[in-house]
Amino acid sequence: MINQLQEKYQLSLLLLLSSVAVMGVFPFVVIRYLSGNYIAAIIDITLIIGMISFVAYAHYSKKIRLVSAILAVFINTGVVVIVVANGIGSFLWIYPVFASTFILVKPIEAFLINVVASIALVALANIFDVISLFSFVITILMMSMSAFVYALHGVKQFRLLETLNSVDPRSPAHLIAVPWAQIWRRPYPTQNAMALNTC
């Protein structure tokens, strides 16, 4: 049961993240097409079609872990390509893409993907004639470390919930929806109540 809930939770995150990304990127497809920036428009529409295809495949195949990992690499590759092609006009897309990577894959995997993408940006993009390379490295590092700590904390909480559910047979799987504060404040039976139960 807990595995089914985890699968549904991951699929819902994948669907929500992709929906937000599609709605955020699509207006730029129109803007860049109308302004004559066809290369950037093609890259954006490719990213949209790719995300929709991956989510649809995850929904029908249930290979959510695999699809999430591929999608993480896909969007990081996409942001590198669009920054190289469009320059400073697409620079700010780096930050939401890097943060989204921590939602898709394990914290250490997301951090490594971000590092590789950052190195690719430094090596291939020409934006650092305008933007300070030092500022880019520091801000990306701070964002990635903050997201890493938050994602790692979430993983630990989920594992703790799995442990509680396996130890206490009275804990149904739907406890995953119960706030943690309510779990820790749950009253335990007093000695008087235990005495009444034995009568």
Side-chain angles (χ1 to χ4, degrees):
M1 178 63 73
I2 197 73
N3 290 332
Q4 292 178 356
L5 288 174
Q6 184 179 10
E7 182 180 277
K8 291 180 180 179
Y9 175 71
Q10 291 174 340
L11 183 60
S12 64
L13 277 181
L14 189 63
L15 178 60
L16 179 61
L17 180 64
S18 299
S19 299
V20 171
V22 168
M23 290 187 293
V25 173
F26 183 75
F28 287 91
V29 176
V30 179
I31 293 171
R32 286 163 181 165
Y33 177 80
L34 294 177
S35 63
N37 191 353
Y38 300 119
I39 294 178
I42 291 172
I43 295 172
D44 287 339
I45 197 67
T46 302
L47 288 170
I48 290 175
I49 294 173
M51 285 186 287
I52 294 174
S53 301
F54 283 129
V55 172
Y57 179 75
H59 178 73
Y60 287 106
S61 69
K62 304 303 180 184
K63 298 178 180 179
I64 301 171
R65 164 74 175 150
L66 175 63
V67 173
S68 296
I70 296 174
L71 184 58
V73 174
F74 177 74
I75 62 175
N76 276 267
T77 303
V79 79
V80 172
V81 172
I82 192 65
V83 171
V84 171
N86 201 42
I88 193 68
S90 299
F91 171 74
L92 293 178
W93 280 106
I94 297 171
Y95 294 93
V97 168
F98 278 22
S100 300
T101 308
F102 286 90
I103 300 175
L104 294 171
V105 293
K106 296 178 180 179
I108 187 63
E109 296 171 346
F111 185 78
L112 292 176
I113 292 172
N114 284 1
V115 169
V116 174
S118 298
I119 294 173
L121 284 167
V122 172
L124 300 175
N126 59 357
I127 58 176
F128 299 106
D129 297 333
V130 180
I131 297 172
S132 168
L133 176 60
F134 179 76
S135 297
F136 169 75
V137 171
I138 295 300
T139 54
I140 284 295
L141 185 61
M142 290 180 62
M143 187 275 297
S144 296
M145 289 302 297
S146 299
F148 177 84
V149 171
Y150 182 80
L152 190 62
H153 181 66
V155 171
K156 289 181 179 179
Q157 281 191 326
F158 193 89
R159 288 177 179 172
L160 180 59
L161 182 58
E162 285 183 316
T163 302
L164 289 174
N165 187 71
S166 61
V167 170
D168 187 0
R170 297 172 301 173
S171 301
H174 68 261
L175 274 177
I176 196 169
V178 178
W180 281 96
Q182 294 182 18
I183 294 176
W184 298 127
R185 290 200 301 265
R186 181 187 296 173
Y188 287 92
T190 61
Q191 291 183 352
N192 293 335
M194 294 174 63
L196 289 174
N197 290 333
T198 58
C199 296

